[in-house]
Amino acid sequence: MRSVFDKNASKIRKIAIGLFICLLVVSLFNKYGKSLSFQFKIKKSGGGDKNRMRNEWNSFMNFSFSNSSLVSPSYSEIYDTTEYSFHLPELRKLCESVQWKNNDTMFMVTPIPMGTFNARNKLMNAVKLSIASGLHLIMPKLLTRSRKNIIHLHPTGDNEFVSVDYLFDSDHLKSVLSINCPQMVVREPEEVSQHIMWKEPSKIEHQGSTEIFRKAVDKVLEEHPKVSIVHTVGLIYLDVNSDGMNFRTDWWRLVRTRPKMVEMADQVVKSFHNQNFGGIHLRLEKDMINRFHDVLDRYNLTFENYAEWSLQFIEKHHKKGDVIFVATGDQELSERMGNLITKRGFVYASKWIWARRIKGLEDHLLDEGWDAVGLIDYHVMLRSTTFVGLEQSTFSYVVALARELYQTNQLGKTIAPNTLLFGPYPSQYTKTIW
């Protein structure tokens, strides 16, 4: 009869063999489990049933996915409060290389209109132009959409001028600038005397690069030495790759989402109980259709096609019963998509469904404003296993970049693993998105 010791020794041997096999499998996977990516070219067709729907899109569908599911960033990684998140060496180098003007020579931009990530981009550009020119910064104001009609991004009567905190964390922005760019003085508009806010000789029209802008600033100050504020009018577009990928990666940590929206997104993700979930950005609200109907028509991106192609991609990567989160500002559109998701055997989720479970929260979200609430969608999508979006949307494009950044800690490609963007977006514009 075997002793208790012999039996235990046998169990230990089996456990050891099992662990060895597991380690061997992991080692082989890490060595040979390379990411796969491919492109489909879709030929034009005259239409037809659902099986032929994919042939109606005359462009490229960019599929990129890895053998392993995307490692979703944790709450602390997305909203990092460690010392590391406040130190941006590339920003420090830039600030040290600049010849700064005196503290009374300031820079401001005209109020920045929505949407959310257009506003983020213009805010980051404003800081970049201010530093590159050696000017001290007046924090920009944001201009909300009309609550009566989201198509209206410019003053129509019910638009509001709001602080950066409407969407972003201005305390974080100021802290990062004070640590890495102590040469710069940052002021709120309320701190500046109103009678010098719009001094005519200081206006500089639309510019194409920091170097062109810096020369224009120097010319203005040379001709009008008493000017206190230099301000731009019109849109601001800069080549985000001009300073290299290390700078661009650093620059991402400059502007951070308003904490409240990140916390809400965290609660949404927790409600999925740690299971893999897919994300679809349904960017077919009326403002998109109004502005880009020609592009949507050209690529036959009707709701039916957008939904079908999205679900085909989801089915490649998810099993029945997985949660599929729909990001959109249109509740009716979201529920319409939700019906199709449910029919395909998945579980439909949205910020609206989540909010309804908490008394008063749905009304609160509506009060927050269309663009501010979109930040919940953004932070949920950063953690989804898969993501489908529209490359014509700055929101979708930034999500794709962010997913890549959190996986590789470096920007440089145009699409992240497990991500599909319908497009194409004009390459000259994508070069201007941080």
Side-chain angles (χ1 to χ4, degrees), residues 419-433:
T419 297
L420 164 65
L421 294 180
F422 299 122
Y425 216 143
S427 59
Q428 68 271 20
Y429 186 65
T430 59
K431 290 177 182 177
T432 68
I433 301 175

Side-chain angles (χ1 to χ4, degrees), residues 214-232:
R214 185 185 62 75
K215 289 179 179 178
V217 167
D218 289 344
K219 184 178 179 181
V220 165
L221 295 179
E222 183 180 335
E223 294 175 354
H224 307 279
K226 294 184 179 181
V227 162
S228 298
I229 295 177
V230 175
H231 72 270
T232 62

Side-chain angles (χ1 to χ4, degrees), residues 39 42 84 101 103 154 190 194 206 350 359 392 422:
Q39 291 185 322
I42 309 298
Y84 165 78
K101 311 291 190 289
N103 288 359
H154 302 284
E190 292 75 18
Q194 289 296 313
H206 173 73
S350 72
K359 186 176 180 180
Q392 196 74 28
F422 299 122

Side-chain angles (χ1 to χ4, degrees), residues 264-423:
M264 285 187 181
D266 194 45
Q267 293 303 314
V268 172
V269 173
K270 284 179 180 177
S271 72
F272 302 154
H273 305 294
N274 296 320
Q275 74 175 100
N276 287 342
F277 70 96
I280 298 174
H281 180 212
L282 193 57
R283 188 63 174 103
L284 294 176
E285 298 97 336
K286 60 183 179 180
D287 68 314
M288 174 60 79
I289 292 172
N290 182 67
R291 290 181 62 201
F292 296 110
H293 58 86
D294 56 334
V295 175
L296 298 175
D297 290 345
R298 190 183 315 143
Y299 297 105
N300 208 7
L301 283 168
T302 61
F303 171 83
E304 289 76 16
N305 287 357
Y306 196 111
E308 178 63 23
W309 294 333
S310 298
L311 288 170
Q312 286 179 9
F313 180 76
I314 291 293
E315 287 176 328
K316 288 178 181 292
H317 299 282
H318 288 274
K319 65 182 187 300
K320 303 297 183 184
D322 278 1
V323 171
I324 308 300
F325 184 90
V326 177
T328 180
D330 188 323
Q331 284 182 264
E332 290 183 12
L333 204 62
S334 181
E335 289 169 3
R336 190 176 166 193
M337 185 73 199
N339 290 332
L340 297 177
I341 288 169
T342 303
K343 287 178 181 178
R344 299 287 263 265
F346 301 107
V347 178
Y348 161 58
S350 72
K351 61 178 174 281
W352 310 112
I353 290 177
W354 169 75
R356 283 175 202 144
R357 297 172 185 165
I358 304 170
K359 186 176 180 180
L361 186 56
E362 188 174 11
D363 290 337
H364 178 66
L365 290 186
L366 293 173
D367 289 340
E368 285 285 350
W370 203 77
D371 289 281
V373 171
L375 288 167
I376 299 175
D377 287 336
Y378 170 70
H379 281 281
V380 171
M381 291 306 187
L382 294 190
R383 288 121 147 180
S384 63
T385 309
T386 54
F387 173 68
V388 181
L390 180 66
E391 200 166 355
Q392 196 74 28
S393 160
T394 309
F395 178 101
S396 287
Y397 194 79
V398 170
V399 169
L401 288 173
R403 286 165 64 84
E404 178 194 343
L405 178 62
Y406 284 120
Q407 181 157 3
T408 65
N409 201 34
Q410 181 71 51
L411 290 168
K413 293 174 269 184
T414 57
I415 198 162
N418 298 345
T419 297
L420 164 65
L421 294 180
F422 299 122

Side-chain angles (χ1 to χ4, degrees), residues 5-116:
F5 177 80
D6 290 335
K7 290 180 179 178
N8 288 339
S10 177
K11 288 180 180 179
I12 292 171
R13 278 196 297 274
K14 289 178 180 178
I15 292 171
I17 291 169
L19 287 172
F20 174 77
I21 292 171
C22 288
L23 290 171
L24 181 62
V25 170
V26 170
S27 176
L28 289 172
F29 180 81
N30 287 335
K31 187 173 182 179
Y32 298 106
K34 297 182 181 294
S35 294
L36 304 173
S37 66
F38 59 90
Q39 291 185 322
F40 286 129
K41 184 156 187 181
I42 309 298
K43 295 181 179 179
K44 192 168 184 179
S45 170
D49 56 25
K50 285 187 177 180
N51 292 329
R52 299 173 58 198
M53 220 181 254
R54 293 166 64 84
N55 296 328
E56 294 181 34
W57 184 29
N58 182 26
S59 180
F60 285 97
M61 290 177 71
N62 297 315
F63 287 78
S64 179
F65 62 93
S66 62
N67 288 337
S68 59
S69 63
L70 186 72
V71 179
S72 300
S74 66
Y75 173 82
S76 60
E77 288 171 325
I78 288 176
Y79 195 65
D80 189 1
T81 55
T82 63
E83 185 178 353
Y84 165 78
S85 70
F86 290 90
H87 289 275
L88 280 62
E90 295 292 327
L91 173 59
R92 183 179 291 272
K93 274 195 290 186
L94 176 63
C95 290
E96 289 173 349
S97 69
V98 170
Q99 184 174 353
W100 289 87
K101 311 291 190 289
N102 68 66
N103 288 359
D104 292 326
T105 309
M106 297 166 284
F107 173 68
M108 70 178 293
V109 298
T110 50
I112 300 172
M114 302 296 150
T116 305

